[in-house]
Amino acid sequence: MLVSDLVATSDRVAATSSRLEKIGALAGLLRRLSPEEVQIGVDWLAGRLRQGRIGLGPAMVTEARRAGLSALEPTLTLGEADAVFSEIARTSGPGSAEQRRAALGGLLARATELERDFFARLLVGELRQGALEAVMIEAVARAAGLPPASLRRAVMLAGDAAEVARAALLEGAFGLQRFSLQLFRPVQPMLAQAADDVASALGELRAAALEWKLDGARVQVHKAGDEVRVFSRSLSSVTNAVPEIVEAVRALPVRSVVLDGEAIAFRADGAPLPFQVTMRRFGRSLDVAALRAELPLRAIFFDVLHLDGEDLLDRSGGERAAALRQVLERSLRVPRIELPTEAEAEVFFADALARGHEGVMAKSLGAPYEAGRRGSSWLKVKRAHTLDLVVLAVEWGSGRRRGLLSNLHLGARDPGSGGFVMLGKTFKGMTDEVLAWQTQRLLELEITRDAYTVYVRPEVVVEIAFDGVQASPQYPGGVALRFARVKRYRPDKEAVDASTIDEVRAIHAGALAHEAADRRESGAGEEETGGDG
């Protein structure tokens, strides 16, 4: 298949808000793919490369995108482009950057303008076309003539939508039979939607439990006999990085088990360390023994998917929680209350926040484990930070947002220089009305523009909610916001009223202070933190 055919479908999917039209367009394309093209096409339409990250940064992609002339007629096939990405992924060693640049340039020289734009957005993770995995699964089901539920379950168990799509399209229902829960093959984790507050979460779920929401690293742990393996949220093995978790699960009095939980580092006083501190344990090249002594981890589990030969995925949340209590002592389980009154729930929420956690999770007592889905059976309630920031620039949107200014460049005020320090970008939290308003307003403030971005006078203030501040070498201020989203515009404020870079750095410094305190108390503190399991 020509790349241009897939790009046309991608554009069609992006241009419609109708879920049924998206599914129909995707299904039509899937039926036309050859067996060798199915995994390529499914991954691309879901906004990712089959090869994963291949060493092409945004600057290199932008440079290649702007260089040279595009092809006038489409001739490039999916297989040819995929082969180039595989070649780039294999490139390493001295001179590899130039080799990757040359390979990318050669690919783009063969691509039309629309294909070049598609590849650029695919490579930097900005292919926002509405072909989310849930929509793609339904499209595969339609193309293969299979029930969507059977596809969702297979994807949950395989952890790879493209692999399941190939089996469904080439082998039908028979091909899906080989996807079952298998020890040491991780399943996709169940995800949560956001709720505004505890009361609304309880009202939506009715029969529910509340648990602390921990800001750690999601882990899935498999045990069979003495063998234990630990997998990350992205289903990668991290077993060697977390020996204390391996030891804790190996000691459990069970033959086989699959547990879902969080790995998290704590201070000596029991307060959790920031997410970015915990994630230091998951680097690529680490002295694990030394880092374990400096930054011990605890695994705290909240679900069990398999126990002693029996799969529990289809059991209710209440039944799985009961099984978890039978297997794990209290120190290994996340604190939880079932069927709380609204008053009890508010106290539980306040206690979680007071102890330094993100908030709470509200979970249906009757729901099965819906792996890989961000369904309404799990709801998260958090207290978000907010800052009033200044819009410095804005990028044109794509897909449904084509023709609208979408991705905001956010800046904090720098009292020392009188200017603004960029903290990151966001396109989240905007309604159609906000998009229309900000497009009109920001074009009135335009200073200059390039192919993707409109630079504006720094006059508009927007209230931004975010989950934390992390170190970032990408931005001149050295810090960036984590999970930023628009809460509201502030027409009542001027740029001089915006939050300062000093305020942002103070938030980051508070997180670093927790880390420093933990290091100072390394001796007894490590023993206490690790001793609880």
Side-chain angles (χ1 to χ4, degrees):
M1 176 181 287
L2 291 176
V3 172
S4 60
D5 292 335
L6 185 140
V7 172
T9 298
S10 174
D11 288 344
R12 179 181 170 189
V13 169
T16 180
S17 59
S18 168
R19 184 182 181 89
L20 290 178
E21 287 186 28
K22 292 179 188 291
I23 292 169
L26 291 169
L29 181 85
L30 292 170
R31 294 188 188 102
R32 295 160 51 200
L33 294 173
S34 71
E36 296 75 21
E37 294 171 335
V38 170
Q39 288 184 281
I40 302 170
V42 170
D43 276 338
W44 286 9
L45 287 167
R48 58 177 176 259
L49 286 179
R50 182 174 62 87
Q51 298 82 358
R53 295 181 180 179
I54 59 175
L56 297 176
M60 186 183 294
V61 172
T62 300
E63 176 188 340
R65 168 74 176 79
R66 294 174 178 174
L69 298 175
S70 57
L72 297 178
E73 297 293 333
T75 61
L76 194 61
T77 68
L78 268 63
E80 290 170 334
D82 181 70
V84 174
F85 293 139
S86 293
E87 174 191 344
I88 293 172
R90 290 191 299 267
T91 302
S92 62
S96 59
E98 285 304 318
Q99 294 175 45
R100 288 193 292 266
R101 182 178 287 107
L104 177 61
L107 174 65
L108 296 184
R110 296 186 54 198
T112 66
E113 190 63 27
L114 289 176
E115 292 167 345
R116 288 162 72 106
D117 178 65
F118 177 87
F119 286 139
R121 289 184 286 123
L122 177 66
L123 289 167
V124 299
E126 294 186 356
L127 191 63
R128 297 184 290 274
Q129 59 198 353
L132 301 176
E133 189 163 278
V135 176
M136 178 63 72
I137 289 170
E138 292 200 35
V140 172
R142 179 179 295 187
L146 297 172
S150 66
L151 267 294
R152 284 195 291 268
R153 184 173 182 82
V155 171
M156 168 185 77
L157 296 168
D160 186 337
E163 179 186 355
V164 171
R166 191 174 192 277
L169 293 168
L170 301 183
E171 304 172 54
F174 177 77
L176 299 185
Q177 292 179 8
R178 66 173 177 268
F179 299 110
S180 60
L181 193 153
Q182 297 179 19
L183 289 170
F184 307 122
R185 186 172 74 179
V187 303
Q188 292 183 338
M190 186 169 177
L191 305 175
Q193 292 186 12
D196 291 334
D197 50 49
V198 172
S200 62
L202 292 179
E204 185 171 341
L205 296 177
R206 297 183 182 179
L210 290 185
E211 298 173 352
W212 288 357
K213 187 181 188 311
L214 308 176
D215 191 19
R218 187 81 174 263
V219 290
Q220 186 179 124
V221 187
H222 293 229
K223 166 185 164 67
D226 286 335
E227 185 174 3
V228 176
R229 298 184 198 169
V230 185
F231 301 93
S232 69
R233 179 187 174 120
S234 63
L235 312 187
S236 300
S237 176
V238 293
T239 307
N240 293 336
V242 289
E244 59 265 66
I245 295 177
V246 172
E247 293 163 7
V249 174
R250 181 179 287 137
L252 295 177
V254 295
R255 299 187 307 275
S256 62
V257 71
V258 177
L259 298 166
D260 188 6
E262 300 267 342
I264 188 167
F266 288 87
R267 292 175 50 193
D269 63 2
L273 287 165
F275 172 79
Q276 56 266 36
V277 178
T278 292
M279 290 307 295
R280 288 175 47 209
R281 287 293 303 270
F282 296 88
R284 291 186 178 179
S285 300
L286 298 173
D287 183 341
V288 175
L291 198 51
R292 175 183 181 176
E294 175 191 350
L295 190 67
L297 292 180
R298 281 176 56 192
I300 301 180
F301 298 105
F302 47 73
D303 220 319
V304 55
L305 315 185
H306 170 95
L307 179 60
D308 283 340
E310 183 180 2
D311 294 343
L312 305 180
L313 291 164
D314 296 324
R315 296 286 190 91
S316 70
E319 290 175 299
R320 299 197 311 277
L324 195 69
R325 288 193 293 270
Q326 292 176 4
V327 174
L328 301 181
E329 61 183 62
R330 184 183 296 272
S331 65
L332 290 172
R333 302 194 314 265
V334 68
R336 171 185 174 100
I337 57 171
E338 294 189 357
L339 299 172
T341 65
E342 186 173 327
E344 291 170 337
E346 292 292 352
V347 170
F348 188 81
F349 178 53
D351 182 52
L353 294 176
R355 294 172 183 267
H357 299 295
E358 280 196 309
V360 295
M361 297 286 296
K363 297 183 177 180
S364 168
L365 289 173
Y369 191 93
E370 300 174 293
R373 298 191 66 191
R374 196 176 292 280
S376 57
S377 299
W378 285 9
L379 300 174
K380 54 187 177 183
V381 183
K382 299 193 295 183
R383 180 177 62 189
H385 302 284
T386 63
L387 290 169
D388 292 326
L389 301 176
V390 175
V391 179
L392 306 178
V394 60
E395 298 171 11
W396 291 105
S398 58
R400 287 188 60 207
R401 295 187 177 189
R402 190 180 299 277
L404 296 170
L405 292 176
S406 174
N407 201 14
L408 301 176
H409 294 207
L410 304 168
R413 184 167 55 88
D414 184 352
S417 68
F420 298 90
V421 180
M422 187 169 171
L423 298 173
K425 308 177 186 180
T426 189
F427 58 87
K428 297 180 179 179
M430 304 172 191
T431 64
D432 290 344
E433 292 75 16
V434 168
L435 285 166
W437 177 86
Q438 77 179 24
T439 299
Q440 177 181 350
R441 179 70 181 111
L442 295 176
L443 285 176
E444 294 171 355
L445 300 175
E446 178 179 352
I447 299 172
T448 184
R449 69 171 69 186
D450 56 30
Y452 302 102
T453 307
V454 174
Y455 299 88
V456 300
R457 297 198 303 273
E459 298 179 9
V460 174
V461 177
V462 59
E463 185 176 355
I464 297 293
F466 61 99
D467 289 359
V469 177
Q470 59 192 13
S472 173
Q474 182 178 353
Y475 296 113
V479 291
L481 301 184
R482 185 165 171 250
F483 300 125
R485 60 265 188 203
V486 171
K487 187 173 182 182
R488 56 175 172 159
Y489 275 93
R490 298 298 304 264
D492 56 320
K493 291 194 172 186
E494 299 181 356
V496 69
D497 302 315
S499 302
T500 68
I501 186 61
D502 296 331
E503 294 175 60
V504 180
R505 286 175 176 149
I507 296 172
H508 183 237
L512 295 180
H514 287 311
E515 178 183 358
D518 188 65
R519 287 180 177 176
R520 285 195 300 271
E521 301 172 12
S522 56
E526 288 164 9
E527 182 177 351
E528 179 182 345
T529 305
D532 290 339

